[in-house]
Amino acid sequence: MGGVGLKRYAAALCAVFFIMLALFHTPASAESSASKIDLYCTVNSDGDCLVSMTVNLKLEAADAGLEFPLPENAEKITMNGSSVPTSRVGSRTLVSVGRITGGMTGEFPVRFDYTIPKAVGAVPATLLILIQNPIKALSSAVGSALQLNKLQLTLPMLCGFDYPVDLFSFVITMPDTVDGVPTFTSTYQQVGFASNLDLAINGNMITGTSVNPLNDHESVTMTLLVPREMFPSVSTYQRTGNPELIPMGIFLGAALLYWLLFLRTLPPVRQRTTVPPEGI
């Protein structure tokens, strides 16, 4: 009987040990993340982009000061339908999600709505470089001719969230049929990020889903060349330096030269004359 009692005692200790282990042990693989981010963008014909982003936060550790980053130029920002205070840090606009998570662990759905003004604009100054370098312009004539009738959509999609993103998907709706292929850049993969996307273009819609999880602090930006006809009200004027200074300088130089030659009045020259006295 003594042996049986000892076995029961050992079994009870083992049971207590495993119960305590289950209650207090956190798996090493548990990590806070955004388990899913869904991005819906509608690009208007005036070049503005309306964005709705749904983020599912999975927090394994309490973080009362957690902030979610949005694009630097984001406007009219709301979180779950309400206006929120924001702060600008570097090239990001930060929104505190503490009032949603309450500094607790668990899963929390958050929806951000905002506007990116002037997301469509002139193609960056590559053409200006071609114009200033005739040799390079000649070798790139075909490429520059293709860009003359194009604008560029620049869309910051992710701005470097503190935690990894398990799954990222997006739907972008354009005003008209998309006839080009977008380019994606990432802080980690640079131009190779497209290989991590299951991308599809159907009519005026661009859809994509990440194949592998994204890293923490990873930013993603999409650019797309679009025809000018799709955005008739978007201005393409690009000011570089002060081009008016050259004709102004020429005009002022010509005016000064004209004044020196024809309009300047020389000071009178005084001449001394000797007049002899009367009677001599």
Side-chain angles (χ1 to χ4, degrees), residues 157 168 170 181-201 206-212 214 218-223:
M157 309 177 82
F168 173 56
F170 58 88
V181 179
T183 299
F184 297 88
T185 57
S186 163
T187 49
Y188 285 89
Q189 303 183 45
Q190 299 301 318
V191 295
F193 183 77
S195 61
N196 189 36
L197 292 175
D198 183 5
L199 185 68
I201 301 175
I206 304 172
T207 60
T209 304
S210 61
V211 178
N212 300 307
L214 279 66
E218 185 162 9
S219 298
V220 178
T221 300
M222 187 197 86
T223 57

Side-chain angles (χ1 to χ4, degrees), residues 146-215:
L146 291 175
Q147 290 188 8
L148 286 177
N149 199 36
K150 297 289 186 178
L151 298 172
Q152 179 169 290
L153 167 65
T154 303
L155 182 60
M157 309 177 82
L158 296 177
C159 301
F161 184 44
D162 288 349
Y163 300 136
V165 178
D166 298 334
L167 182 64
F168 173 56
S169 68
F170 58 88
V171 177
I172 302 171
T173 305
M174 302 291 290
D176 205 344
T177 302
V178 177
D179 60 359
V181 179
T183 299
F184 297 88
T185 57
S186 163
T187 49
Y188 285 89
Q189 303 183 45
Q190 299 301 318
V191 295
F193 183 77
S195 61
N196 189 36
L197 292 175
D198 183 5
L199 185 68
I201 301 175
N202 185 13
N204 68 327
M205 299 182 67
I206 304 172
T207 60
T209 304
S210 61
V211 178
N212 300 307
L214 279 66
N215 297 305

Side-chain angles (χ1 to χ4, degrees), residues 22 25 30 34-35 43 48 64 99 101 112 119 121 127 141 147-148 153 155 169 173 204 237 242 245 250 254 257 271:
H25 178 67
S35 60
V43 183
D48 293 346
R99 76 179 193 182
T101 63
F112 299 99
L127 291 184
Q147 290 188 8
L148 286 177
L153 167 65
L155 182 60
S169 68
T173 305
N204 68 327
Y237 174 73
N242 297 291
L245 292 182
I250 295 174
L257 181 63
Q271 296 181 348

Side-chain angles (χ1 to χ4, degrees), residues 237-248:
Y237 174 73
Q238 282 186 308
R239 180 182 178 87
T240 57
N242 297 291
E244 70 279 2
L245 292 182
I246 295 178
M248 286 178 62

Side-chain angles (χ1 to χ4, degrees), residues 81-93:
S82 301
S83 298
V84 289
T86 61
S87 59
R88 185 73 57 81
V89 177
S91 60
R92 306 185 303 170
T93 298

